[in-house]
Amino acid sequence: MTADPAPLSRAQRLDRLPLNREHGRLVVGSGVGWALDAMDVGLISFVMAALATQWSLSTTELSWIGSIGFVGMALGATLGGLLADRIGRRQVFALTLLVFGVATGAAALSWSVGALLVFRFLIGLGLGAELPVASTLVSEYAPARIRGRLVVALEAFWAVGWVLAALIGYLVVPRSDDGWRWALALGAVPAVYAVVVRRGLPESVRFLELRGRTEEAEAAVRRFERASGVPPSPSPTIAPVTRRARPGELWAGGTARRTASLWAVWFGINFAYYGAFTWLPTLLVADGFSLVRSFGYTLVITLAQLPGYAAAAYLVERWGRRPTLGVFLLGSALGAGLFTAADSESAVLATGMVLSFFNLGAWGALYALTPEVYPTALRATGAGAAAGFGRIASIAAPLSVPPLLDAGGTGLVFGTFAAFFVLAALATTGLPEGRGGGLDDVPRTSDAAVGTG
């Protein structure tokens, strides 16, 4: 007589499900917020180019307008991750959308550089907290076999937001002296969307279990099972575990190497990405392109992000997260290096598109990998801390562009970005590979893979 199979945990029940409409709602619901975030970040590059002439700003003032939002993002990412592991992913997601949406609308009324800097800091505070929380929530519901693909699909909404920003920059900003104000006013949309997020998205099942809210966790799993037409198989009753993670655990034992490697990748990719794309329209204007022409070129370069995400979404499940991330970072270095030698309009477009394709594909792979580095109790804290550390680079990068320009022109600027991409690629060797595994199994299996205890 054979024994009955052991009942499945709720995490295992989620992992066995086929892709269904609830997964789609979660990705789209989180992704629209992500796209609106990206639209705001992208718009500031066009606003900078417009204000450089309209307000006669110095490169130092422009640098601070580009960087101050990342100061807020650094703080927001760290605090957002901590809060998400304490009060829940969905709650923090909705709150951050509200903060940055309202602040973006207020920024449209800026009357001075100082006022704009204050509003940009508040925008960054909300934005920085939202990104790692959204990817954590999606990864905790995604079936194991397609988890990486779904997180990259979420990250692809960033490209949608950047395309919207480029369209607004091209069609709205140059049309009048108040064009930049109208562009920023459109960023207030997330304040309304926050209400939709709060009502429509589920809370993380793993988070609910850690807090002893097992009835809510069971209801959430059954909601996804119904969407797949799978009969529920109640999970065993276990005593609730309400352990709260401590940030110091990120640097304890075998976790330390993963944390150091993850922070290095986040730092390198942030420095190169935000340094390049925050300044790109302004640099094109400085090289003799008209405002409208530079915005049009930036739009075309931005469109190359979409196939970059599509390629990464396929490869993270085919090659794995770590190889995909490493290859795309090296491809980004190649694109930045080629951009330094671009000596014609067609070369600027072609090399800019190569950089855009590989850079945003690397971002997709990084967001797929990051939630898999840590266990549930530490997941949002770890992801938020890595993102927060990376934001230090995004603060420094726009500020570094003026002195680099003075020292060696555009060639030195993009050569520096290429070097940071290479350093980030080297750091991937210390990261775990979570392709195909259960989300809570990844840290244990990866310790052996990366040689830690």
Side-chain angles (χ1 to χ4, degrees):
M1 182 174 179
T2 59
D4 293 332
L8 300 175
S9 69
R10 294 184 182 91
Q12 290 171 327
R13 288 161 61 189
L14 288 173
D15 278 341
R16 69 173 179 162
L17 295 178
L19 188 66
N20 61 51
R21 65 177 182 274
E22 289 296 337
H23 293 117
R25 287 181 60 188
L26 179 60
V27 171
V28 173
S30 301
V32 172
W34 201 301
L36 293 170
D37 289 359
M39 184 179 76
D40 174 82
V41 174
L43 279 175
I44 197 60
S45 64
F46 298 96
V47 171
M48 284 169 56
L51 290 182
T53 56
Q54 190 179 135
W55 284 6
S56 301
L57 301 182
S58 67
T59 54
T60 300
E61 289 172 315
L62 289 172
S63 295
W64 275 109
I65 291 173
S67 289
I68 193 65
F70 300 123
V71 177
M73 289 175 74
L75 182 60
T78 303
L79 293 178
L82 288 169
L83 285 174
D85 277 335
R86 283 160 176 75
I87 66 173
R89 283 62 159 140
R90 183 178 65 175
Q91 300 271 31
V92 174
F93 187 29
L95 177 62
T96 57
L97 281 171
L98 183 64
V99 169
F100 106 86
V102 171
T104 301
L109 305 176
S110 297
W111 55 91
S112 67
V113 173
L116 182 58
L117 290 175
V118 170
F119 290 131
R120 292 300 305 169
F121 173 79
L122 294 174
I123 290 167
L125 196 65
L127 174 60
E130 188 271 325
L131 298 180
V133 173
S135 61
T136 296
L137 181 60
V138 170
S139 69
E140 290 182 331
Y141 269 102
R145 66 190 177 281
I146 56 170
R147 184 173 58 246
R149 192 161 293 166
L150 283 186
V151 176
V152 176
L154 169 67
E155 233 288 282
F157 280 87
W158 185 267
V160 174
W162 264 92
V163 171
L164 288 173
L167 284 170
I168 294 169
Y170 181 68
L171 298 173
V172 177
V173 175
R175 302 308 174 191
S176 70
D177 287 346
D178 288 330
W180 65 272
R181 295 185 186 274
W182 286 109
L184 290 178
L186 292 172
V189 173
V192 178
Y193 183 67
V195 179
V196 179
V197 171
R198 181 66 181 85
R199 290 178 177 272
L201 297 185
E203 181 55 89
S204 163
V205 169
R206 290 171 170 87
F207 169 81
L208 292 171
E209 287 184 326
L210 282 177
R211 293 295 172 267
R213 295 157 60 180
T214 54
E215 291 184 4
E216 294 175 64
E218 182 65 27
V221 174
R222 293 195 178 196
R223 170 178 165 179
F224 277 71
E225 288 175 329
R226 283 195 302 271
S228 294
V230 173
S233 53
S235 299
T237 301
I238 57 175
V241 179
T242 57
R243 188 178 78 83
R244 295 180 184 271
R246 298 183 301 275
E249 294 178 48
L250 296 175
W251 297 98
T255 307
R257 179 178 175 180
R258 294 196 300 269
T259 297
S261 299
L262 188 64
W263 284 27
V265 176
W266 273 89
F267 192 92
I269 196 172
N270 268 278
F271 190 95
Y273 173 77
Y274 286 107
F277 285 93
T278 300
W279 273 92
L280 185 59
T282 304
L283 291 176
L284 291 176
V285 171
D287 284 342
F289 294 89
S290 68
L291 194 65
V292 173
R293 195 174 185 82
S294 79
F295 286 3
Y297 274 41
T298 304
L299 172 59
V300 173
I301 290 171
T302 300
L303 288 171
Q305 296 180 8
L306 294 169
Y309 281 124
Y314 173 77
L315 292 173
V316 290
E317 301 297 358
R318 183 80 174 183
W319 287 355
R321 286 80 156 118
R322 186 170 59 186
T324 302
L325 177 58
V327 167
F328 274 71
L329 285 169
L330 291 176
S332 301
L334 175 64
L338 292 173
F339 195 88
T340 65
D343 56 0
S344 66
E345 292 186 7
S346 59
V348 167
L349 272 179
T351 57
M353 291 174 71
V354 170
L355 173 60
S356 189
F357 173 91
F358 282 107
N359 197 348
L360 276 297
W363 273 110
L366 180 59
Y367 270 104
L369 184 150
T370 298
E372 298 176 345
V373 173
Y374 302 106
T376 298
L378 199 60
R379 184 167 297 124
T381 297
F389 183 75
R391 297 308 174 193
I392 297 173
S394 60
I395 296 165
L399 293 172
S400 73
V401 170
L404 288 172
L405 280 172
D406 292 340
T410 304
L412 180 60
V413 170
F414 280 86
T416 301
F417 297 152
F420 272 91
F421 280 129
V422 171
L423 291 173
L426 292 174
T428 63
T429 58
L431 294 174
E433 176 54 60
R435 178 168 62 103
L439 193 57
D440 291 315
D441 295 332
V442 172
R444 290 192 291 274
T445 58
S446 63
D447 281 343
V450 299
T452 56

